[in-house]
């Protein structure tokens, strides 16, 4: 079989920047890979039908949080997925690898590196070493553990305590909260002490910061 024939595959490049997607697809076609750009708005269509043999999606991870969920859906449809991202934070990429992605390529790397890695994956070769995959899976597990811990500590709050947290995050003082709920100031202060203990923080400022970060 010829080198070009061995590389024959279906690669779809999904990126918000059409010029980038087209450039990548053109470079892949230059090494014998059947590649095309696909608008992000159409990536959802891929999960509704079975992927062709050797099908690969180059997915822009910077599309948002839904990209990780999309990896799992694409994998269930038989697509392999290689992430392309600007984000140097490893956690989203690690979560996507745990969901089945082959690996990631940073957009800051030379263009030739992206094409080389995409070509390897299109040929059925691994994008990550065993050690790197193991490390990323450990990062993903750590992130999941942290998320569960965060969920659990907020789950310990009573409905009234959550309401008090909302008011603290909005900048309300205890006296104003007591007036709104028609309770004593001592009752509100008791709620606040309980909130500090359950969230493991030492001040209302920290409560407000946590609440705002959680709602972001």
């Amino acid at each position: 079989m010829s080198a070009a024939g061995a590389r024959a595959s279906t690669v779809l490049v999904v990126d918000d920047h059409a010029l980038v997607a087209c450039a990548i697809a053109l470079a892949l076609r230059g090494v014998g890979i059947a590649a095309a750009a696909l608008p992000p708005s159409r990536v959802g269509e891929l999960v509704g039908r079975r992927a062709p043999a050797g099908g690969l999606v180059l997915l822009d991870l910077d599309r948002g949080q839904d990209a990780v969920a999309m990896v799992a859906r694409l994998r269930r449809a038989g697509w392999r997925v290689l992430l392309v991202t600007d984000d140097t934070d490893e956690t989203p990429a690690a979560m996507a690898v745990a969901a089945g992605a082959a690996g990631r390529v940073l957009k800051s790397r030379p263009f030739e590196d992206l094409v080389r890695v995409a070509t390897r994956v299109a040929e059925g070769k691994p994008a990550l070493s065993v050690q790197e995959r193991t490390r990323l899976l450990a990062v993903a597990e750590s992130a999941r553990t942290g998320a569960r811990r965060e969920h659990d500590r907020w789950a310990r709050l009573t409905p009234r305590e959550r309401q008090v947290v909302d008011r603290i995050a909005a900048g309300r003082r205890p006296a104003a909260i007591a007036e709104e709920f028609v309770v004593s100031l001592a009752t509100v202060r008791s709620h606040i002490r309980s909130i500090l203990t359950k969230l493991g923080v030492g001040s209302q400022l920290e409560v407000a910061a946590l609440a705002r970060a959680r709602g972001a």
Side-chain angles (χ1 to χ4, degrees), residues 120-176:
R120 283 182 56 82
V121 177
E123 292 173 342
K125 298 175 183 176
L128 300 171
S129 66
V130 173
Q131 293 83 357
E132 180 66 3
R133 176 172 291 277
T134 299
R135 189 184 69 80
L136 288 175
L137 291 177
V139 170
E141 180 56 32
S142 177
R144 284 193 292 263
T145 299
R148 285 194 295 268
R149 187 181 301 116
E150 182 74 3
H151 174 271
D152 289 346
R153 70 173 178 171
W154 284 96
R156 289 196 291 268
L157 300 181
T158 66
R160 175 61 85 186
E161 287 169 351
R162 293 192 190 99
Q163 291 175 329
V164 172
V165 167
D166 290 342
R167 272 58 176 186
I168 292 173
R172 303 288 296 280
R173 294 182 178 277

Side-chain angles (χ1 to χ4, degrees), residues 108-126:
S108 59
R109 299 287 297 171
F111 186 75
E112 294 77 10
D113 285 359
L114 191 156
V115 174
R116 176 179 53 79
V117 176
T119 300
R120 283 182 56 82
V121 177
E123 292 173 342
K125 298 175 183 176

